[in-house]
Amino acid sequence: MRFKISVFKQSDTNEPLCAVGWNLSEEVFSCGDDRVLLKWNLFTKDSIKLYDFPENAYPIDLHCFVRNQGGLKRQKVEQILLTSADGKFHIIGKNGRTEKTADAHRGAVLVGKWSSDGSSLLTGGEDGQIKIWSKSGMLRSTVVQESTPIYSAAWSPDSNQILYTSNKMLIIKTLSGNVKSNRWKAHEGLILKVSWNSNNNLIVSGSEDCRYKVWDTYGRQLYSSVVHDYPITSLDWAPSGDLFAIGSFNTLRLCDRAGWSHCLEMPNSDSIYSISWSSDGTQVACACANGNLLVAHIIERRYEWLNYELLVTSRKCLQVKDISGEVMEKLDFPERIIHVVIRYKRIVVATPTQCHIFNVNNFNTPHIMELKEGCVMIILMAEKVFALVEPSSVNIYSYDGRNASTPKWPNMLCDLISDDMISLSNDTLAIRDQIDDKVIHLLEIGSSVNPPPFTHKIGVTDLALNQAGSIQNRQLAFIDKNRDLYILSVPTKAGISSSRKIDKLGIMVQSIFWNHDYNTLAGIQETTLTVWYYPGIVFVDPRLLRRSTLVKDTSEFGRNPSIVNFIRNHVNIRRSDGSLINSCTSPFMSILHSYGTTNNWKNALKLCRSVKDEILWTCLAGLAIFGKELDTAEEAYAAIDLLDKVSFIQYIKTIKNKSIQAAELALLGGNTEDAESILLQNGLIFRAVYLNICTHRWLRALELAMKHKTHVDTVLLHRQKYLRSFDKVEKNSKFLQFTEMELDENTIEQKVKLEFQKENTVTR
């Protein structure tokens, strides 16, 4: 990936440019020491004068507020905020008319930024103050007073906080409530620029110490660059949050969100004072000290899937290469390429107005769709469907271009969705709420009625749906802010949330990825690569979770590695320096999962007997219990020396009643609530009471007996025997109320025997 740079020169002056901003994808605003606001047409390279600054009012900063009215085709700049060295800021309309000029600070106004919704703006100046203004330019408050100038500032994604610089410090201040500011020393020199991305919630800063650094909102350093030759004078995040650009003297660098560099360009620009990304994230505009406007377009993006390699060779050209057959195709498009995704032998390409769907077996007849909004931010692909995330909607399509679903959910703010907070499978779409980060919406594709959202106890940062299997096997893995990894079963019926199960898989997890072909999950956990070969086993038998997990040391991966793909038995891991490392897992696991899915237990046993791997036997035990295949489960448990489980399975095989057998299978994995629920649904009240007696859940047993008015004396008798064996005295008030009840042990035992005989006569 690299930049292709175009240079735009002013014909009548070489005065330095100080700030740039985008209108449409082909229009750029710039201003500089010539005190003129220009609008550039990138097609014709012509410029139009929009505004003349007053005498001695030299512009310093420029920020355009673009109101999204349905994609790129309708995006227009509503207002332009300009700050100047005379202590004033200017609000300019899209036609160049001055709407407001206000005295803001003593000395120069060094920074001015619109909030994300355009309802307010901030200014920071040489006097060390930051002020909040209404969109019409009326002063609301002075929120910061520092002893040093404010060189740069940024709004938080929700506009409730501001980030600003003070000498070598970065400070995050909350605007509402009496909350202490988060302040930390970020650099060894004066900090010149900061940027806060609304999608990934990360911060990048640049300083006179010639370094740029990436931070989270707690002040934890995620990346620190090498020392450059010159100070970092400009930087900006791409709207999607996957890239950012850095500017210095004769230097333009494109970086990944993790901090490592994709490319380094050395244009003849002198210092780059300002960088701004286009709304589609494919171009950057740079204001240069030599008076030139640089526009850089990203080319040579590379995508890989199995034996296919895709390369964006130019703005409108995509090269597809089949490595195995050495076949190469060149695909030309009428417009700029914005997004490309390849999965499941399909290629989806988004341009500003169209979406092209290719089958790798035939590139001559793609399906072409007109986009509703003309601004695709994210493309998600599953085996049967794919989703396009646009600024105000999410649409799910089949690969022949038909709309399969247009999901809706509360607090729907599509322009704030990032890759980490949305996941797609063939039948389910999972989305983290854009306002409340504790809420996850689980939407069934094609259904008008969806289950209630799932609410976690703390905020969720990453989520991923498994891809293999049917909706009955659908599971969601997610990481919360404590870096704990959980797995959640997705309900199979719309409107039902009680069937959800949740359990914790691990702690200190940084990155997760499901295998595309079978239900295996890989994650970076502390200093290890952990592969959960059958994570759903935690709902079947939690004792088997550790035995079915592979743990590899990740010291070779460096600091903060991330998983970028998990195909077949290969896990692709990105190091902090950008290099890719491949790690292999067991090649037999996919075969075992396919046998379990098709109920081919005979071949599954043959595979485990020949490989003789404990992890393989453990996964087979979980798959067999889930598939209610007792003979296979018995042999698998015996192979891993869990003789108590073998004995219990042999007991279960003697039970004739299918409902009781299903309940005992649930009890085998420790799922007492599930076992009780099965019994109650089938009218087996005595067995449900007896189950709670055997598991010493005395209060629940008494509650059921009293509710159904049966076997209260049975519960009391077994409670007495239990206390007597430990030389204890009854102290629970719920049991003390029955102290006067006479308990005839022989009568109760006869009644219990009759219940067991009655059960044996029913086989359903």
Side-chain angles (χ1 to χ4, degrees):
M1 189 185 304
R2 67 179 181 87
F3 278 132
K4 182 179 180 181
I5 297 177
S6 301
V7 180
F8 295 78
K9 296 183 178 180
Q10 300 184 61
S11 58
D12 54 348
T13 179
N14 289 321
E15 295 289 342
L17 293 181
C18 62
V20 289
W22 287 85
N23 180 16
L24 301 173
S25 58
E26 304 298 339
E27 287 185 357
V28 175
F29 295 109
S30 71
C31 60
D33 285 357
D34 57 359
R35 305 193 309 280
V36 174
L37 176 65
L38 297 176
K39 181 171 74 172
W40 297 80
N41 187 306
L42 302 188
F43 277 133
T44 64
K45 293 193 175 183
D46 294 333
S47 61
I48 302 173
K49 183 186 295 186
L50 283 184
Y51 177 75
D52 281 308
F53 283 83
E55 189 78 18
N56 297 323
Y58 290 91
I60 295 179
D61 197 15
L62 176 155
H63 191 211
C64 301
F65 172 62
V66 180
R67 187 177 298 279
N68 180 21
Q69 299 175 341
L72 290 174
K73 293 181 283 188
R74 298 186 190 176
Q75 278 186 350
K76 295 287 185 182
V77 166
E78 294 290 323
Q79 291 176 312
I80 304 170
L81 173 62
L82 294 164
T83 68
S84 56
D86 59 355
K88 297 180 180 180
F89 71 84
H90 312 266
I91 299 177
I92 311 299
K94 56 187 176 182
N95 55 2
R97 183 174 61 87
T98 303
E99 297 183 358
K100 179 72 175 181
T101 297
D103 289 313
H105 295 269
R106 297 188 308 275
V109 184
L110 300 177
V111 59
K113 296 291 181 183
W114 290 104
S115 63
S116 58
D117 58 1
S119 62
S120 56
L121 60 95
L122 68 80
T123 59
E126 281 186 319
D127 55 3
Q129 294 183 344
I130 292 182
K131 297 181 179 181
I132 306 296
W133 309 76
S134 70
K135 64 180 180 180
S136 60
M138 301 299 293
L139 179 63
R140 289 180 176 171
S141 62
T142 301
V143 294
V144 171
Q145 177 63 69
E146 294 284 343
S147 59
T148 57
I150 307 296
Y151 283 96
S152 187
W155 290 92
S156 67
D158 58 6
S159 299
N160 289 328
Q161 296 174 305
I162 57 172
L163 165 72
Y164 65 93
T165 69
S166 178
N167 200 355
K168 302 176 184 180
M169 309 291 290
L170 287 180
I171 302 100
I172 296 178
K173 181 175 179 58
T174 302
L175 299 180
S176 58
N178 187 18
V179 180
K180 185 179 179 180
S181 299
N182 184 15
R183 175 188 297 257
W184 70 95
K185 183 180 178 181
H187 290 267
E188 296 301 322
L190 181 68
I191 302 174
L192 300 177
K193 289 288 183 179
V194 292
S195 181
W196 193 344
N197 187 260
S198 60
N199 279 335
N200 60 31
N201 206 28
L202 296 179
I203 296 165
V204 62
S205 61
S207 167
E208 284 187 345
D209 64 5
C210 304
R211 294 180 185 269
Y212 66 85
K213 298 182 180 182
V214 181
W215 311 86
D216 63 13
T217 54
Y218 302 103
R220 183 170 67 106
Q221 180 180 294
L222 305 179
Y223 182 84
S224 178
S225 72
V226 297
V227 178
H228 290 63
D229 294 332
Y230 300 97
I232 306 299
T233 53
S234 58
L235 49 82
D236 193 29
W237 279 104
S240 62
D242 58 342
L243 300 169
F244 62 89
I246 298 294
S248 183
F249 182 82
N250 287 345
T251 302
L252 179 62
R253 188 183 290 272
L254 178 64
C255 303
D256 185 80
R257 61 177 288 178
W260 54 271
S261 177
H262 280 287
C263 73
L264 173 64
E265 304 292 338
M266 306 291 288
N268 184 19
S269 60
D270 294 345
S271 291
I272 297 177
Y273 288 143
S274 177
I275 291 178
S276 179
W277 283 85
S278 62
S279 56
D280 57 20
T282 61
Q283 302 174 96
V284 293
C286 307
C288 305
N290 63 1
N292 292 340
L293 171 68
L294 297 186
V295 177
H297 186 88
I298 297 177
I299 61 172
E300 295 186 6
R301 287 181 183 254
R302 191 179 302 273
Y303 308 88
E304 295 177 354
W305 172 261
L306 296 179
N307 53 299
Y308 293 96
E309 182 182 72
L310 277 59
L311 183 66
V312 181
T313 56
S314 66
R315 290 160 57 95
K316 301 179 182 180
C317 183
L318 178 66
Q319 177 182 290
V320 183
K321 186 176 182 181
D322 184 353
I323 304 298
S324 61
E326 298 185 357
V327 177
M328 187 177 295
E329 291 284 344
K330 184 179 179 181
L331 307 178
D332 293 310
F333 298 88
E335 300 175 291
R336 275 188 352 273
I337 297 172
I338 296 177
H339 285 291
V340 179
V341 181
I342 178 171
R343 292 282 190 279
Y344 307 107
K345 296 186 177 182
R346 302 291 206 296
I347 301 173
V348 178
V349 181
T351 67
T353 60
Q354 293 180 325
C355 178
H356 302 253
I357 309 165
F358 296 89
N359 190 313
V360 296
N361 297 321
N362 183 8
F363 291 102
N364 297 323
T365 55
H367 295 283
I368 302 176
M369 304 184 307
E370 295 293 327
L371 295 176
K372 294 183 178 181
E373 301 182 44
C375 182
V376 174
M377 301 186 301
I378 300 172
I379 301 177
L380 302 171
M381 294 182 69
E383 186 176 7
K384 297 179 182 178
V385 294
F386 70 97
L388 300 180
V389 180
E390 297 182 84
S392 60
S393 65
V394 176
N395 294 282
I396 299 173
Y397 300 91
S398 62
Y399 286 106
D400 57 5
R402 292 184 294 105
N403 189 302
S405 179
T406 303
K408 306 288 184 182
W409 64 91
N411 302 330
M412 186 174 175
L413 300 172
C414 298
D415 54 337
L416 297 181
I417 296 176
S418 65
D419 291 333
D420 297 333
M421 63 175 70
I422 185 169
S423 183
L424 176 72
S425 68
N426 289 330
D427 41 60
T428 307
L429 180 70
I431 302 176
R432 195 197 76 186
D433 193 273
Q434 287 79 68
I435 295 178
D436 187 352
D437 60 6
K438 300 177 184 178
V439 176
I440 300 174
H441 302 281
L442 298 165
L443 312 176
E444 186 176 340
I445 296 174
S447 174
S448 58
V449 180
N450 291 300
F454 169 77
T455 302
H456 193 48
K457 54 188 176 183
I458 61 174
V460 175
T461 58
D462 301 77
L463 50 83
L465 283 166
N466 66 336
Q467 299 298 311
S470 63
I471 191 172
Q472 285 76 21
N473 299 321
R474 194 64 58 228
Q475 294 162 355
L476 175 72
F478 65 88
I479 303 173
D480 62 21
K481 288 184 176 179
N482 286 340
R483 311 312 297 173
D484 292 332
L485 173 62
Y486 289 86
I487 186 168
L488 173 72
S489 64
V490 177
T492 58
K493 293 183 179 180
I496 297 177
S497 62
S498 59
S499 59
R500 290 175 181 157
K501 300 177 185 176
I502 184 171
D503 214 320
K504 182 187 287 190
L505 291 182
I507 61 173
M508 299 305 295
V509 180
Q510 304 172 26
S511 175
I512 54 174
F513 211 103
W514 283 98
N515 190 286
H516 292 281
D517 303 313
Y518 54 96
N519 291 329
T520 295
L521 181 67
I524 301 294
Q525 184 178 18
E526 296 183 295
T527 59
T528 63
L529 168 65
T530 305
V531 181
W532 293 271
Y533 279 123
Y534 182 30
I537 206 170
V538 74
F539 301 133
V540 177
D541 189 347
R543 284 179 58 186
L544 300 181
L545 181 62
R546 282 188 180 275
R547 290 171 174 256
S548 62
T549 302
L550 173 70
V551 178
K552 283 188 172 184
D553 180 48
T554 57
S555 56
E556 61 178 310
F557 303 147
R559 183 185 178 190
N560 294 329
S562 61
I563 302 174
V564 296
N565 225 333
F566 188 8
I567 306 175
R568 294 178 179 171
N569 67 316
H570 297 279
V571 182
N572 295 325
I573 299 172
R574 179 82 68 181
R575 285 166 49 106
S576 57
D577 61 1
S579 59
L580 278 173
I581 296 179
N582 181 64
S583 184
C584 294
T585 63
S586 171
F588 303 108
M589 199 56 62
S590 60
I591 304 173
L592 181 66
H593 274 276
S594 65
Y595 287 154
T597 303
T598 57
N599 294 325
N600 192 346
W601 304 111
K602 183 178 180 181
N603 285 337
L605 284 170
K606 285 183 179 179
L607 175 67
C608 292
R609 289 167 185 159
S610 60
V611 177
K612 299 179 181 178
D613 181 26
E614 182 178 347
I615 293 182
L616 213 62
W617 277 112
T618 304
C619 291
L620 177 60
L623 289 167
I625 291 297
F626 182 78
K628 296 180 174 57
E629 178 59 31
L630 296 181
D631 292 332
T632 304
E634 182 182 355
E635 183 171 345
Y637 276 115
I640 57 178
D641 297 328
L642 291 180
L643 301 183
D644 56 332
K645 301 283 187 179
V646 174
S647 176
F648 196 73
I649 290 174
Q650 290 173 348
Y651 155 69
I652 293 174
K653 290 164 69 174
T654 63
I655 300 174
K656 297 179 180 180
N657 189 302
K658 299 298 182 182
S659 299
I660 298 176
Q661 192 178 73
E664 295 293 332
L665 270 175
L667 195 61
L668 174 69
N671 300 313
T672 311
E673 288 80 5
D674 290 350
E676 180 191 294
S677 177
I678 293 170
L679 295 171
L680 292 176
Q681 288 174 6
N682 289 276
L684 298 167
I685 308 302
F686 162 72
R687 179 63 79 157
V689 173
Y690 194 72
L691 168 71
N692 284 287
I693 291 174
C694 293
T695 55
H696 299 165
R697 300 171 70 201
W698 299 107
L699 289 176
R700 179 58 180 166
L702 182 62
E703 179 186 345
L704 286 175
M706 293 175 62
K707 179 180 178 181
H708 296 280
K709 300 179 180 179
T710 181
H711 286 285
V712 175
D713 52 352
T714 305
V715 177
L716 296 174
L717 177 63
H718 283 84
R719 173 73 172 180
Q720 283 185 2
K721 289 182 177 181
Y722 173 78
L723 293 174
R724 196 179 303 128
S725 64
F726 290 98
D727 293 328
K728 299 288 184 180
V729 178
E730 184 63 72
K731 295 181 180 180
N732 192 298
S733 59
K734 293 188 177 180
F735 285 93
L736 288 173
Q737 63 180 320
F738 296 100
T739 53
E740 302 299 327
M741 179 181 289
E742 294 185 4
L743 301 176
D744 186 345
E745 185 172 348
N746 292 329
T747 303
I748 294 173
E749 288 180 355
Q750 287 296 325
K751 186 166 59 171
V752 170
K753 285 181 181 180
L754 288 174
E755 292 283 1
F756 281 124
Q757 291 173 3
K758 190 191 304 181
E759 289 174 0
N760 291 331
T761 60
V762 181
T763 59
R764 61 178 176 82

